[in-house]
């Protein structure tokens, strides 16, 4: 399967590392914002074509699919561009930063019948898969999730400490992970509330946010997000359930008493990004809907839109 990857930044490289481990996959084109560093990364991973133009990548002979790791503001339009070109597409989280754009991607995916997936990685991390498997077997039911998403990001820099060309967002990007995961683990969301702290004078975004969610099952979720946290960085999930407590940190899982849980048998890899890419490729090969399809994640973006409106009305 021939794949193009657009977005040669920190997260793009994570996908390239994962794709190396998947049989029958050939990354034939790499798209980046600046040609010289894009060519350097292409050379590092043995990719024969590098460009700054997505359309040029879409024209590569025999191309089957595209993975988009580009700035948030480009996701929806580029996903539609790929689908219009007849290519399957996986777009990194978030699918969009406006509900109208997300609905447009869904409509295009339905019209073309192509595989369209969004990179909601938490569905694939072995830690969360372990909990999901227990839920599916009726061995665990979420009563409450307590989630902290903390970064120290007062300038536009990426995970490698390099300048970004776009501005990140606590609601449309980072909250999307937890909103979707909570619904995936506890059921449809029926109530959502949000408050935000002051907006950064230069970045123009809220630097702190608090979100409450309630599922149809009765389970609740409390999500705290900050770009001001000068301490341990990342997202930490506490699952409080009827038969136990779990704490998930990316691909690792411990009990509420910090006892490690062996996740080696959960999936063929312990890397959530690789597992996400494996699902995308398998869905294309098998002609089926992938986990985290655009259709499956749209309820998350409808909740984010409602929260966005709520926050705007309170300003």
């Amino acid at each position: 399967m021939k794949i193009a990857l657009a977005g040669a930044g920190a997260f793009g490289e994570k996908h390239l590392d994962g794709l190396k481990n998947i049989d029958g996959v050939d990354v034939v084109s790499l798209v980046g914002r600046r040609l010289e560093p894009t060519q350097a990364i292409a050379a590092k991973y043995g990719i024969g074509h590098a460009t700054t133009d997505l359309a040029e990548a879409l024209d590569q002979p025999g191309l089957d699919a595209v993975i988009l790791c580009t700035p948030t503001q480009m996701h929806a339009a580029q996903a539609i561009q790929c689908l219009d070109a007849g290519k399957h597409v996986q777009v990194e989280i978030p699918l969009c930063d406006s509900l109208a754009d997300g609905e447009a991607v869904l409509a295009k995916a339905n019209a073309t019948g192509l595989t369209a997936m969004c990179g909601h990685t938490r569905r694939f991390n072995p830690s969360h898969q372990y909990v999901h498997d227990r839920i599916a077997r009726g061995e665990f039911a979420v009563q409450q999730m307590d989630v902290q998403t903390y970064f120290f990001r007062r300038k536009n820099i990426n995970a490698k400490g390099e300048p970004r060309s776009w501005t990140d967002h606590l609601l449309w990007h980072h909250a999307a992970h937890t909103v979707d995961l909570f619904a995936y683990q506890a059921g449809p969301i029926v109530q959502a509330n949000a408050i935000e702290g002051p907006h950064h004078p230069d970045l123009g975004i809220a630097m702190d946010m608090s979100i409450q969610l309630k599922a149809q099952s009765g389970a609740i979720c409390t999500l705290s997000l900050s770009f001001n946290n000068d301490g341990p960085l990342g997202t930490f999930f506490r699952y409080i359930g009827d038969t136990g407590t779990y704490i998930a940190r990316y691909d690792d899982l411990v009990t509420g008493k910090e006892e490690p849980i062996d996740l080696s048998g959960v999936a063929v890899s312990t890397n959530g990004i690789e597992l996400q890419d494996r699902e995308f490729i398998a869905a294309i090969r098998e002609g089926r809907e992938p986990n985290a399809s655009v259709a499956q994640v749209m309820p998350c973006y409808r909740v984010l839109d409602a929260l966005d409106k709520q926050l705007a009305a309170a300003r």
Side-chain angles (χ1 to χ4, degrees), residues 264-281:
S264 59
V266 173
V268 297
S269 169
T270 57
N271 180 337
I273 302 298
E274 178 187 330
L275 293 171
Q276 176 182 313
D277 289 342
R278 284 182 179 274
E279 172 66 4
F280 177 54
I281 291 157

Side-chain angles (χ1 to χ4, degrees), residues 134-154:
R134 289 211 66 203
I135 293 169
R137 293 194 299 266
E139 299 170 358
F140 181 81
V142 177
Q143 306 296 307
Q144 181 174 183
M145 284 175 62
D146 183 80
V147 185
Q148 299 173 328
T149 295
Y150 290 157
F151 300 95
F152 189 70
R153 189 173 291 167
R154 295 176 181 172

Side-chain angles (χ1 to χ4, degrees), residues 188-199:
I189 294 168
V190 296
Q191 187 176 350
N193 305 301
I195 57 174
E196 63 182 4
H199 282 218

Side-chain angles (χ1 to χ4, degrees), residues 39-312:
Q39 289 173 327
I41 295 170
K44 174 182 174 182
Y45 287 92
I47 301 168
H49 179 261
T51 180
T52 59
D53 184 4
L54 177 58
E56 185 180 323
L58 292 171
D59 282 339
Q60 292 302 297
L63 184 72
D64 297 296
V66 182
I67 297 175
L68 298 173
C69 304
T70 48
T72 293
Q73 292 79 4
M74 304 170 75
H75 284 180
Q78 288 185 331
I80 290 171
Q81 183 181 356
C82 293
L83 293 167
D84 274 335
K87 312 303 178 187
H88 305 286
V89 66
Q90 179 191 172
V91 56
E92 254 311 324
I93 195 170
L95 174 65
C96 55
D97 59 1
S98 80
L99 182 59
D101 285 349
E103 298 285 10
V105 177
L106 177 59
K108 181 62 67 174
N110 289 338
T112 62
L114 293 163
T115 301
M117 175 178 167
C118 190
H120 283 240
T121 313
R122 300 295 168 260
R123 292 183 179 223
F124 301 96
N125 292 117
S127 52
H128 299 295
Q129 275 202 51
Y130 177 94
V131 175
H132 190 75
D133 290 345
R134 289 211 66 203
I135 293 169
R137 293 194 299 266
E139 299 170 358
F140 181 81
V142 177
Q143 306 296 307
Q144 181 174 183
M145 284 175 62
D146 183 80
V147 185
Q148 299 173 328
T149 295
Y150 290 157
F151 300 95
F152 189 70
R153 189 173 291 167
R154 295 176 181 172
K155 297 179 180 178
N156 273 339
I157 56 172
N158 67 16
K160 295 197 297 186
E162 299 169 342
R164 266 188 171 143
S165 61
W166 55 285
T167 303
D168 205 357
H169 202 282
L170 288 177
L171 179 66
W172 284 96
H173 178 188
H174 296 287
H177 280 290
T178 297
V179 170
D180 181 69
L181 179 67
F182 178 60
Y184 185 61
Q185 305 286 47
I189 294 168
V190 296
Q191 187 176 350
N193 305 301
I195 57 174
E196 63 182 4
H199 282 218
H200 191 280
D202 298 322
L203 299 179
I205 57 170
M207 301 294 283
D208 292 275
M209 192 172 292
S210 177
I211 294 174
Q212 293 176 306
L213 305 169
K214 186 173 184 177
Q216 197 172 62
S217 64
I220 61 172
C221 176
T222 303
L223 169 60
S224 171
L225 307 106
S226 181
F227 281 151
N228 279 320
N229 178 63
D230 192 7
L233 308 180
T235 303
F236 314 104
F237 300 82
R238 179 180 291 269
Y239 288 96
I240 301 172
D242 56 345
T243 58
T245 296
Y246 300 105
I247 302 169
R249 302 181 179 100
Y250 292 96
D251 292 312
D252 298 320
L253 187 69
V254 298
T255 68
K257 298 177 181 178
E258 294 288 342
E259 300 160 332
I261 294 173
D262 181 11
L263 301 175
S264 59
V266 173
V268 297
S269 169
T270 57
N271 180 337
I273 302 298
E274 178 187 330
L275 293 171
Q276 176 182 313
D277 289 342
R278 284 182 179 274
E279 172 66 4
F280 177 54
I281 291 157
I284 295 170
R285 287 174 171 161
E286 296 164 17
R288 61 170 175 82
E289 181 182 10
N291 186 10
S293 68
V294 168
Q296 289 179 12
V297 304
M298 276 308 300
C300 162
Y301 294 95
R302 292 171 187 139
V303 171
L304 296 182
D305 178 66
L307 292 173
D308 200 14
K309 288 181 169 66
Q310 190 181 114
L311 291 170

